[in-house]
């Protein structure tokens, strides 16, 4: 039973569903409020840190001023970076996120109202993006730095191009002149999927940029307050600067993930007619005669693409970690006896390479493949996919345990403090979340197996949390690689790497680092797309239906 009422603005007559909608929207208000709280806290910390530390906001080029005694003095304007960070975070993270949520926040208003706000917020985000781009170009010119040499800049330009094309295509299709209904119906799911990808990448870029600037400040600060606090303080004595960095990194990530949880239901579901046939493993399944070939037209393409990106990521990760900066070395520092009987202490610095490799291979690739098992083996018995899903997650668990041991050993060897960066905070959160998710999944769907009602309730939660952990793991991998890149760049004054990285002339090392991160991001995008798109969802076999 249902009744009708006018919305708060009186612009639309909507249904008040007595039974189903309250149950389905039980957590709607909670997650909506949570997304707004995280968003405004992110805005506060972003603005407060950029405006209060390291010179604050300064706009423009370097200039020359005349001192009271008539002596000319050149003033270096270094605050353009703060404008860049603020504009990009406010625009591509907050305003873009709010634009995506317009269809959720105003769910009972006329669609034209939500559509207008959706486009308006994207327009504001686009304006801030332009000013943020101008600010970083000005900053690099002031500092006499090279443009487009880091992975952050490569990904950033890709986001800007994609965002511009997405905005133009969306305006033409749904605004003016407006294409035909058939074209709009075809383009709508593409528009939604690409929009979520751009938003997720923008959030990752914000974390990426903040962590990069953290290590640049730490390395360049030397013995000043930021440098001492960043390297030597304990968690209980963290400065407000470091806490701010930690909050920005965490809030960017959580804001993205909370919004994505609200938006997962945007993908449509289609009913299909079918006939039956046996798979190669003799499982009786459905072959959809009419709609499935059309819906799965790009399934093989995206599946193959995900595997290509994944294996390229594995290759570049292993090659870079094994070939440069000492390569793989395992264990604690040790003392060797030279030929003259003189003891010589050997510092083992290659544990970090094991950490980076194990974490990338485990929490990115193996976890991604585990998630895809229900897509890759869509026509086999579900128990087969479930077994591989759990097995790949188990392998990922083993690798990240060894990766954790490696980074603890590395920090002990280097006499560095633990748990002082946002990367370590988020990393521990990922580890705890992964272990809890694995245990809950095994108990619920493996052994002893809970009741069907509980499994039906927990399954969407399990899927959503799994995608959240995978997405944050990918962001963590990017942050870790960028962190190590800048540590190498600034802790080796006059070294070959410092001289050549800015020019991408490290005999391929600079390109290897950047392409490795790009392939990692592309792999994450294809995995999330294949997993969240309802049209690629595994259809139950006849055996399961019986």
């Amino acid at each position: 039973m249902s009744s009708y009422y006018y919305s708060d603005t009186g612009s639309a007559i909507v249904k008040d569903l007595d039974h189903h909608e309250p149950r389905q929207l039980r957590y709607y208000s909670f997650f909506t409020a949570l997304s707004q709280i995280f968003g405004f806290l992110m805005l506060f910390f972003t603005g407060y840190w950029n405006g209060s530390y390291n010179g604050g906001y300064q706009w423009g080029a370097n200039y020359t001023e005349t001192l009271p005694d008539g002596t000319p003095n050149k003033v270096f304007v270094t605050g353009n970076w703060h404008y860049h960070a603020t504009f990009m975070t406010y625009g591509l993270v907050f305003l873009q996120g709010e634009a995506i949520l317009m269809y959720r926040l105003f769910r009972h208003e006329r669609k034209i109202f939500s559509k207008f706000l959706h486009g308006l917020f994207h327009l504001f985000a686009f304006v801030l993006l332009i000013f943020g781009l101008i600010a970083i170009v000005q900053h690099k010119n002031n500092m006499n730095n090279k443009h487009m040499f880091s992975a952050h800049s490569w990904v950033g330009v890709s986001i800007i191009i994609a965002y511009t094309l997405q905005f133009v295509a969306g305006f033409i299709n749904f605004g003016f002149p407006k294409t035909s209904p058939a074209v709009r119906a075809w383009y709508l799911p593409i528009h939604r999927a690409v929009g979520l990808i751009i938003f997720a990448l923008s959030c990752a870029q914000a974390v990426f940029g903040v962590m990069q600037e953290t290590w640049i400040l730490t390395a360049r600060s030397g013995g000043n307050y930021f440098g001492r606090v960043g390297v030597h303080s304990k968690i209980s004595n963290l400065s407000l600067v470091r806490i701010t960095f930690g909050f920005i990194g965490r809030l960017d990530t959580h804001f993205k993930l909370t919004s994505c949880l609200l938006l997962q239901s945007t993908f449509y579901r289609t009913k299909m007619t079918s006939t039956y046939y046996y798979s190669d493993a003799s499982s009786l399944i459905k072959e959809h005669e009419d709609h499935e070939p059309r819906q799965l037209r790009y399934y093989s393409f995206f599946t193959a693409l995900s595997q290509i990106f994944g294996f390229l990521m594995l290759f570049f990760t292993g090659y870079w970690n094994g070939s440069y900066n000492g390569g793989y070395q395992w264990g604690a520092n040790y003392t060797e006896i030279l030929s003259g009987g003189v003891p010589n202490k050997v510092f083992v610095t290659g544990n970090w390479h094991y950490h980076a490799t194990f974490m990338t291979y485990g929490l990115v690739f193996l976890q991604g493949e585990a998630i895809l098992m229900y897509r890759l083996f869509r026509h086999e018995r579900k128990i087969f996919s479930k077994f591989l899903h759990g097995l790949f997650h188990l392998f990922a668990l083993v690798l990240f345990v060894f990766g954790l041991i490696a980074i603890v050993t590395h920090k002990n060897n280097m006499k560095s403090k633990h748990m002082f960066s946002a990367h370590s905070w988020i990393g521990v959160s990922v580890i705890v979340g992964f272990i809890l998710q694995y245990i809950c999944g095994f108990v619920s769907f493996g052994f002893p197996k809970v009741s069907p009602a509980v499994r039906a309730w927990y399954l969407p939660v399990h899927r959503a949390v799994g995608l959240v952990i995978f997405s944050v793991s990918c962001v963590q991998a990017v942050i870790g690689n960028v962190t190590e890149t800048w540590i190498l760049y600034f802790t080796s004054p006059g070294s070959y790497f410092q001289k050549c990285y800015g020019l991408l002339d490290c005999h391929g090392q600079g390109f290897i680092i950047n392409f490795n991160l790009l392939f990692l991001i592309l792999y994450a995008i294809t995995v999330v797309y294949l997993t969240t798109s309802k049209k690629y969802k595994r259809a139950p076999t006849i055996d399961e239906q019986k």
Side-chain angles (χ1 to χ4, degrees):
M1 297 293 294
S2 63
S3 57
Y4 298 90
Y5 68 96
Y6 283 92
S7 65
D8 293 337
T9 61
S11 61
I13 299 178
V14 297
K15 284 186 178 182
D16 181 15
L17 302 177
D18 295 329
H19 301 294
H20 299 293
E21 190 169 70
R23 177 177 59 81
Q24 292 177 345
L25 298 181
R26 186 177 301 166
Y27 303 109
Y28 166 76
S29 298
F30 171 74
F31 280 113
T32 301
L34 208 60
S35 70
Q36 300 307 297
I37 291 170
F38 283 145
F40 284 106
L41 283 173
M42 177 190 67
L43 295 183
F44 168 74
F45 279 106
T46 300
Y48 182 78
W49 177 72
N50 282 288
S52 302
Y53 295 96
N54 308 303
Y57 295 114
Q58 295 173 294
W59 182 271
N62 298 334
Y63 61 93
T64 301
E65 65 177 0
T66 302
L67 299 179
D69 59 358
T71 306
N73 178 52
K74 189 170 185 179
V75 178
F76 293 90
V77 178
T78 61
N80 289 284
W81 185 90
H82 294 287
Y83 278 110
H84 168 74
T86 302
F87 289 154
M88 290 302 191
T89 304
Y90 281 25
L92 284 180
V93 178
F94 183 76
L95 289 180
Q96 186 180 187
E98 293 297 297
I100 294 173
L101 286 177
M102 283 300 117
Y103 293 100
R104 294 292 184 268
L105 298 177
F106 299 96
R107 56 189 297 109
H108 294 312
E109 304 305 322
R110 293 183 185 273
K111 193 173 183 180
I112 187 65
F113 179 71
S114 301
K115 184 187 292 185
F116 172 75
L117 290 179
H118 177 77
L120 187 64
F121 272 68
H122 273 305
L123 180 61
F124 290 156
F126 187 74
V127 171
L128 287 181
L129 181 155
I130 296 299
F131 279 104
L133 187 62
I134 294 172
I136 196 60
V137 170
Q138 186 71 66
H139 173 73
K140 285 182 174 288
N141 290 340
N142 288 351
M143 301 297 291
N144 292 322
N145 289 341
K146 297 290 183 180
H147 298 278
M148 295 300 298
F149 72 89
S150 67
H152 178 73
S153 58
W154 290 19
V155 177
V157 169
S158 302
I159 290 174
I160 292 171
I161 294 172
Y163 189 85
T164 304
L165 294 176
Q166 170 86 340
F167 186 83
V168 172
F171 185 80
I172 292 173
N173 280 280
F174 306 109
F176 182 82
K178 217 172 193 180
T179 54
S180 65
V183 174
R184 291 203 303 274
W186 168 82
Y187 178 66
L188 182 59
I190 299 174
H191 184 74
R192 287 170 173 166
V194 173
L196 281 177
I197 289 171
I198 294 173
F199 175 62
L201 280 177
S202 300
C203 295
Q205 268 290 89
V207 178
F208 196 168
V210 168
M211 295 304 299
Q212 180 170 296
E213 184 65 12
T214 303
W215 287 105
I216 290 175
L217 284 173
T218 302
R220 283 180 172 170
S221 297
N224 73 4
Y225 178 67
F226 187 86
R228 292 196 304 273
V229 172
V231 177
H232 300 297
S233 70
K234 297 181 179 179
I235 296 178
S236 57
N237 296 323
L238 285 172
S239 69
L240 181 60
V241 179
R242 182 63 70 179
I243 293 173
T244 303
F245 272 126
F247 266 104
I248 292 173
R250 295 170 76 89
L251 289 173
D252 275 348
T253 305
H254 292 326
F255 181 73
K256 173 191 72 173
L257 299 176
T258 304
S259 302
C260 287
L261 285 173
L262 289 171
L263 294 166
Q264 281 185 359
S265 60
T266 58
F267 293 96
Y268 61 90
R269 183 176 299 175
T270 307
K271 295 182 180 179
M272 299 173 286
T273 59
S274 62
T275 57
Y276 306 107
Y277 73 100
Y278 283 91
S279 72
D280 294 337
S282 298
S283 179
L284 189 61
I285 60 176
K286 290 185 176 182
E287 177 183 22
H288 306 290
E289 295 174 330
D290 302 317
H291 300 293
E292 187 167 83
R294 176 177 59 82
Q295 290 185 345
L296 297 181
R297 186 176 301 166
Y298 303 110
Y299 165 75
S300 299
F301 171 74
F302 283 112
T303 303
L305 210 58
S306 69
Q307 300 307 293
I308 291 171
F309 289 147
F311 283 107
L312 284 173
M313 174 191 68
L314 295 182
F315 169 76
F316 280 107
T317 299
Y319 182 78
W320 180 58
N321 283 287
S323 302
Y324 296 96
N325 310 305
Y328 294 115
Q329 295 174 296
W330 184 271
N333 298 334
Y334 61 94
T335 301
E336 64 177 1
I337 305 300
L338 301 178
S339 56
V342 179
N344 178 51
K345 189 169 185 179
V346 178
F347 292 91
V348 178
T349 61
N351 290 283
W352 185 90
H353 293 288
Y354 277 110
H355 168 75
T357 303
F358 288 154
M359 291 301 192
T360 304
Y361 281 25
L363 285 179
V364 177
F365 183 74
L366 288 181
Q367 187 178 189
E369 294 300 294
I371 293 173
L372 287 179
M373 284 300 122
Y374 293 100
R375 296 292 188 266
L376 298 177
F377 298 97
R378 55 186 301 105
H379 294 315
E380 305 308 324
R381 294 181 186 274
K382 193 173 184 179
I383 188 65
F384 178 71
S385 302
K386 184 186 292 185
F387 172 75
L388 292 178
H389 179 77
L391 187 65
F392 271 64
H393 273 307
L394 180 60
F395 290 156
L397 180 64
V398 172
L399 282 182
F400 93 61
V401 168
F402 279 103
L404 187 61
I405 295 171
I407 195 60
V408 170
T409 304
H410 173 73
K411 285 183 173 287
N412 290 338
N413 287 350
M414 301 299 292
K415 295 184 178 179
S416 298
K417 294 294 182 180
H418 300 277
M419 297 299 298
F420 72 89
S421 67
H423 178 70
S424 58
W425 292 10
I426 299 173
V428 170
S429 302
V430 169
I431 290 171
V432 173
F434 187 91
I435 293 174
L436 293 177
Q437 169 85 340
Y438 189 84
I439 293 173
C440 292
F442 185 80
V443 171
S444 297
F445 307 109
F447 183 82
K449 223 174 193 180
V450 295
S451 65
V454 175
R455 290 203 305 272
W457 168 83
Y458 177 63
L459 182 59
V461 177
H462 183 75
R463 288 171 174 164
V465 173
L467 279 178
V468 168
I469 294 173
F470 173 71
S471 301
V472 178
S473 299
C474 294
V475 172
Q476 272 290 86
V478 172
I479 292 174
N481 278 276
V482 173
T483 298
E484 182 64 14
T485 300
W486 288 104
I487 287 175
L488 287 172
Y489 187 84
F490 285 106
T491 57
S492 305
S495 69
Y496 177 66
F497 183 80
Q498 187 179 65
K499 293 176 181 177
C500 68
Y501 180 63
L503 302 175
L504 286 177
D505 188 28
C506 298
H507 295 305
Q509 186 179 2
F511 282 105
I512 290 170
I513 295 170
N514 292 353
F515 276 118
N516 180 37
L517 295 178
L518 287 179
F519 286 130
L520 189 154
I521 292 169
L522 291 172
Y523 176 71
I525 289 172
T526 52
V527 170
V528 172
Y529 173 68
L530 286 169
T531 307
T532 56
S533 183
K534 297 294 184 183
K535 59 186 176 182
Y536 300 140
K537 186 177 179 180
R538 177 186 179 277
T541 65
I542 304 306
D543 313 66
E544 295 166 19
Q545 292 178 350
K546 291 179 180 180

